[in-house]
């Protein structure tokens, strides 16, 4: 028997049949997400060595731009040596608290 017609005359699949247009979220791929995070510089946090599995993208954002908000926070706290601040932020992946400890000589 042909499928029953639904609203607007569209064919309705039988109960239990897979949908003809599956949900795109069901195609979730964790390794693809990790690759995208790595390409954006956000992957690898907490992994040994911080490796993201690939080189930085060719049009990588310079550290001064990438950490502009954190630089501003450090300046507001009285750390006025921009170069030292940048070195600390790069070394800590942008973690302001860890950068402050590093600037105080704690790391």
């Amino acid at each position: 028997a042909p499928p029953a017609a639904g609203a607007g005359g569209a064919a309705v699949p039988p109960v239990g049949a897979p949908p003809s247009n599956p949900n795109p979220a069901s195609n979730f791929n964790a390794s693809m997400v990790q690759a995208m995070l790595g390409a954006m510089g956000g992957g690898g946090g907490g992994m040994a060595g911080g490796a993201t599995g690939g080189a930085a993208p060719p049009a990588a954002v310079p550290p001064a731009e990438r950490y502009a908000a954190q630089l501003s926070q450090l300046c507001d706290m009285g750390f006025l040596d921009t170069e030292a601040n940048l070195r600390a932020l790069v070394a800590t992946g942008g973690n302001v608290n860890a950068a402050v400890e590093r600037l105080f000589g704690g790391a």
Side-chain angles (χ1 to χ4, degrees), residues 19-58:
S20 59
N21 185 12
N23 180 353
S26 66
N27 295 329
F28 177 77
N29 183 334
S31 62
M32 183 184 300
V33 172
Q34 284 293 353
M36 289 189 302
L37 285 173
M40 294 186 311
M47 294 176 65
T52 59

Side-chain angles (χ1 to χ4, degrees), residues 54-86:
V61 178
E65 289 179 35
R66 182 179 322 134
Y67 300 125
Q70 292 93 327
L71 280 170
S72 177
Q73 287 179 315
L74 289 172
C75 285
D76 291 345
M77 289 185 227
F79 297 96
L80 304 178
D81 184 344
T82 303
E83 292 303 314
N85 294 349
L86 264 178

